[in-house]
Amino acid sequence: MPDARPRTGFFAFPEIDWIMLGAVLCMSFLGLLTMASFSGDDTYLVRQVSWLLISVAVFFFCAGVDWSFLKKPNVVAWIFVLSVGLLSALFAVGHIAKGAQKWFSVGGLSFQPSDPVKLGLIVILAKYFSRRHVEIANIKHILVSGFYAFVIAILIFLQPDLGSAIIVCLIWLGMILVSGVSKKHLAAVFLVGLTAFSILWFDGLKQYQRDRLVNFIHPLSHLSGSGYNAYQATIAIGSGGILGKGIGYGTQSRLKFLPEYRTDFIFAAFAEEWGLVGVAILFSLFAILIWRIAANAYLGATNFEVLFGLGLAIMFMSHFFVNVGMTLGLAPVTGINFPFMSYGGTNLLASFAGLGILAGMSAYRRSAHRETVKNEFLGLE
């Protein structure tokens, strides 16, 4: 088998998957176009354009870095410590907005650490499972990996940010599934999750969070209260029809019946203006993104690169399905953004950085020697 491609140093000219990059840039452009149609004189569109330009630059930088150092145990340990430290610091110096303390605010800029922390968790789990892939049948590894995810999820949940906590849990669940967890242990995981949810329902969730879950089960019970957002989103999507109302003619967003139309419900605003045809195009772009991530992951030099790529795909799919689900009334409203479209600098930066890291790993993507794989399984690397 051929060796991994040699690099000339820590930073090298990157190999870019232009299909993958093109898909995310098209989604980002559709998001900007949707914002532009109802932004008026506000600065959200200008800020998002700035964040997009910075994020693309971050992508190219990350694509040129040799990320093999992430496989070192001490690096992974520091990633976990830094993640916990950032999330813990929010409770002391975090900025409070809309009842949540999940941002660091410096001047006019805000930073939401839960977004890069999700990337950190993918690295942690990819390293953990790459060394213990053949031992996944041992429930100990499910519990240990679950501990890493639980600590991060509970710190995010206490902000409170139920949506991001759910994404963290879905990342962990998805990565143990692709690692080959047994059905018996998977059933045990669901039982533990159901027990934890029962405890949270009575002694953890805030009233508005319970209202959102109740509204998910009975969507027409609180149309003027907790169910208003989801109801207006479904109206916006339904009114778009096959071809949509046209760019700039989405009445639900322009007249501000649709809340959070730049962030959580930008998909509904887009669907109203572009219709079913536009939604099909958007979903196709997202499918291309997941296909290219999976294709690049499959060519990973070792199990670590493969699992990182699959974890990245799981993160994006979790955001996609939760966001679209809550917009269509198929999932509770949890404040999760649509990947690459919704307004938000930190999430955009983290998303492009994740794709850049995957592209950087492609610089040494080759079939690994059997001895390398054997050492990785045994935990010798």
Side-chain angles (χ1 to χ4, degrees):
M1 295 183 182
D3 286 321
R5 180 178 303 175
R7 298 182 67 107
T8 58
F10 176 74
F11 188 87
F13 188 79
E15 282 192 1
I16 304 299
D17 186 332
W18 295 104
I19 297 177
M20 180 180 71
L21 181 60
V24 298
L25 288 178
C26 285
M27 284 192 289
S28 299
F29 176 73
L30 290 176
L32 293 175
L33 203 58
T34 305
M35 287 184 204
S37 67
F38 49 73
S39 60
D41 296 328
D42 63 38
T43 59
Y44 284 94
L45 177 63
V46 176
R47 291 178 183 176
Q48 189 71 352
V49 170
S50 300
W51 281 119
L52 179 59
L53 293 175
I54 295 171
S55 298
V56 172
V58 168
F59 168 83
F60 280 102
F61 173 80
C62 291
V65 174
D66 181 356
W67 295 99
S68 57
F69 70 92
L70 289 178
K71 293 186 281 188
K72 297 180 180 179
N74 61 325
V75 173
V76 176
W78 275 111
I79 290 175
F80 180 71
V81 171
L82 180 61
S83 298
V84 172
L86 280 173
L87 294 175
S88 300
L90 281 171
F91 299 106
V93 296
H95 174 68
I96 300 177
K98 297 181 180 180
Q101 194 169 6
K102 55 183 181 180
W103 295 275
F104 292 115
S105 183
V106 180
L109 296 177
S110 296
F111 170 71
Q112 187 172 355
S114 61
D115 291 316
V117 163
K118 293 170 191 172
L119 279 183
L121 177 64
I122 293 173
V123 172
I124 294 168
L125 295 179
K127 174 59 179 176
Y128 187 87
F129 289 128
S130 69
R131 298 178 62 185
R132 298 166 177 86
H133 181 76
V134 294
E135 303 174 3
I136 191 62
N138 189 332
I139 196 171
K140 176 185 73 174
H141 299 309
I142 298 177
L143 296 176
V144 173
S145 63
F147 169 78
Y148 295 135
F150 175 79
V151 171
I152 291 174
I154 199 66
L155 287 173
I156 293 175
F157 172 78
L158 292 174
Q159 294 174 0
D161 185 355
L162 177 61
S164 292
I166 290 175
I167 297 298
V168 167
C169 293
L170 290 176
I171 290 172
W172 171 74
L173 179 61
M175 292 191 72
I176 65 172
L177 286 175
V178 298
S179 297
V181 65
S182 70
K183 294 181 180 179
K184 179 177 65 176
H185 293 158
L186 183 60
V189 168
F190 278 114
L191 182 60
V192 171
L194 183 61
T195 302
F197 177 78
S198 300
I199 295 173
L200 286 175
W201 179 265
F202 293 104
D203 195 30
L205 293 176
K206 295 183 179 297
Q207 185 59 46
Y208 77 88
Q209 293 171 326
R210 286 196 290 266
D211 289 342
R212 286 178 174 180
L213 293 174
V214 170
N215 186 75
F216 168 60
I217 300 172
H218 302 288
L220 300 180
S221 59
H222 297 88
L223 295 184
S224 61
S226 59
Y228 177 82
N229 293 5
Y231 180 64
Q232 293 298 330
T234 56
I235 291 177
I237 294 173
S239 64
I242 302 298
L243 300 177
K245 295 180 177 179
I247 300 175
Y249 292 93
T251 54
Q252 290 297 109
S253 53
R254 288 186 64 84
L255 299 178
K256 299 186 178 180
F257 289 112
L258 179 66
E260 305 297 338
Y261 46 82
R262 303 180 188 90
T263 52
D264 302 348
F265 292 99
I266 194 170
F267 170 69
F270 172 84
E272 183 183 19
E273 295 187 345
W274 289 71
L276 184 61
V277 173
V279 169
I281 294 172
L282 178 61
F283 284 9
S284 297
L285 290 170
F286 187 81
I288 291 171
L289 168 64
I290 299 302
W291 162 53
R292 295 313 304 163
I293 291 176
N296 281 277
Y298 179 76
L299 295 174
T302 65
N303 286 320
F304 173 78
E305 287 81 11
V306 173
L307 288 169
F308 175 83
L310 293 177
L312 196 64
I314 290 167
M315 181 184 74
F316 288 137
M317 287 191 295
S318 298
H319 272 266
F320 174 85
F321 285 113
V322 172
N323 180 273
V324 174
M326 74 180 190
T327 303
L328 295 175
L330 302 176
V333 176
T334 54
I336 290 298
N337 68 309
F338 193 100
F340 301 101
M341 282 189 69
S342 296
Y343 175 81
T346 310
N347 184 265
L348 201 62
L349 277 173
S351 298
F352 272 93
L355 294 177
I357 293 171
L358 182 66
M361 291 176 175
S362 70
Y364 50 93
R365 64 181 184 191
R366 285 294 182 270
S367 298
H369 289 297
R370 293 180 181 178
E371 189 64 28
T372 301
V373 176
K374 178 181 177 182
N375 289 340
E376 186 179 41
F377 279 154
L378 296 176
L380 300 178
E381 290 195 351

